[in-house]
Amino acid sequence: MSGRCVSMKARNLSGGKLPLSEEADPPETSQQQQHEPSEDGGDGEIVHFSHPEHRLAPFDFPYLFMCMGCKEYGAGKRFMCQICGFQLHDFCALAPPSLHDHPFHPRHQHLLFFQKPGGFLRCKCDVCGKAVKGFSFRCACCSFDVHPCCAAMARRMELPAHAHPLLLAPADSGVATSFVCQVCRRRRSGRVYQCMPCGYYLHAKCAKDMVNGLYEHGVVPPERSNPLLAVAKVTINALFGVIGGLIEGIGEGIGEAFVENIGRSRGRSFR
C-alpha cells in the first residue's frame, strides 16, 4: 500500500490533529483519491471512503461517541452523517494515507494507513497499549502499530492535567510498570509521559483522553468487561452452585439418617 508521505513534526501535533501536508504534494493517484476525504459540500462537509453513501459534516458536541473508524471513544469534535449517525474522530476522518518520520518510531521512515488490523493475532497500539480494532498507522518494515489519535500526539505535550510540559519517556525505559499514573492511579502497559522536575507521570492512554475530547468534556467512557473473565465468573458461579447443591443434598441425607436413627432408638426403648 503506497501513499503520499506526510511530515509529522512534533510542533504540529500538540493540537491533536494530523496535518495533511507541509510540503508540495505530488500528483494524486487513484488509490490516494480513494483513501483521502474529499470536500463535496458546504460548511466543511466531506465524502469519506469508509462511508461513501452519505456526506459527513463537522460537529462539536460535548457528549460521548464511538468512532466507527478506529473503534475508540471520543467527545467533542467529530465528523458525522446527519442521515444515519455514522461518526468519525476529526483526526480519523482527515488521516493522511501515510506518515513520514514520525517521532514515536524513528527506527523506520514510513507508517502506512490501514483500515483494519490484519492477521489472526490481536495487535496492540505501541503507544497507549490498547488493542487496535480499526484505523491505524502501521510500519512498513516491522510490527509497530499506532492509533490515529496516538499518532496525533507529540513527544512534548502541554496538557491540562499538569502545569509543566510533559515529555514522552523512552519505550525501553521501564517506567510504565514502576509508577502510578497521576490521573488513573494505576499501573499499566504502554508509553508514559513524565515531568522530571516534579516526578509527575501520566500514561499515554490517559494523555490520549486529553486529545480525543474525553478529558475536556468530563466524559468517562464505559468500562468494557473482559469476555473471558465473564465466562470464568459464570463458570465459577455454576460450579459453586453444583457444589452447594451437593453439600445441601449430603446435609439433608445426613439429617434424615440422624432423625431415622433417633426414631429407631426411641422405638427400642419403649419395647
Side-chain angles (χ1 to χ4, degrees), residues 151-214:
M153 297 194 294
R155 281 189 176 277
R156 183 180 185 273
M157 299 277 284
E158 294 184 6
L159 299 171
H162 191 62
H164 304 142
L166 301 178
L167 299 177
L168 188 71
D172 56 353
S173 63
V175 177
T177 57
S178 62
F179 80 101
V180 175
C181 174
Q182 299 295 321
V183 172
C184 69
R185 301 295 178 182
R186 297 189 217 172
R187 290 183 174 91
R188 59 169 293 124
S189 61
R191 303 289 294 273
V192 172
Y193 283 92
Q194 60 184 353
C195 176
M196 296 302 293
C198 300
Y200 183 94
Y201 296 96
L202 179 70
H203 289 137
K205 173 189 174 296
C206 298
K208 179 169 69 172
D209 288 346
M210 301 176 193
V211 174
N212 60 23
L214 294 177

Side-chain angles (χ1 to χ4, degrees), residues 58-135:
F59 289 93
D60 191 350
F61 298 132
Y63 54 78
L64 182 74
F65 74 98
M66 168 67 74
C67 175
M68 300 307 295
C70 67
K71 310 297 191 239
E72 293 253 300
Y73 289 112
K77 294 180 180 179
R78 70 199 73 187
F79 279 84
M80 186 176 72
C81 175
Q82 300 181 71
I83 298 175
C84 65
F86 182 92
Q87 299 182 81
L88 293 173
H89 291 125
D90 56 348
F91 41 78
C92 287
L94 303 176
S98 63
L99 306 178
H100 179 64
D101 292 331
H102 196 283
F104 291 173
H105 191 59
R107 185 182 304 174
H108 301 123
Q109 286 189 333
H110 304 294
L111 299 179
L112 305 180
F113 179 90
F114 281 81
Q115 283 188 248
K116 58 182 66 175
F120 297 99
L121 298 178
R122 195 173 186 180
C123 57
K124 290 187 176 181
C125 174
D126 285 280
V127 176
C128 71
K130 294 182 65 179
V132 174
K133 300 178 181 179
F135 290 0

Side-chain angles (χ1 to χ4, degrees), residues 15-39:
K17 292 184 179 180
L18 295 174
L20 292 180
S21 179
E22 287 185 351
E23 301 172 355
D25 297 333
E28 298 288 354
T29 65
S30 58
Q31 187 175 10
Q32 291 169 358
Q33 290 174 352
Q34 181 182 1
H35 168 83
E36 293 181 353
S38 60
E39 296 188 7

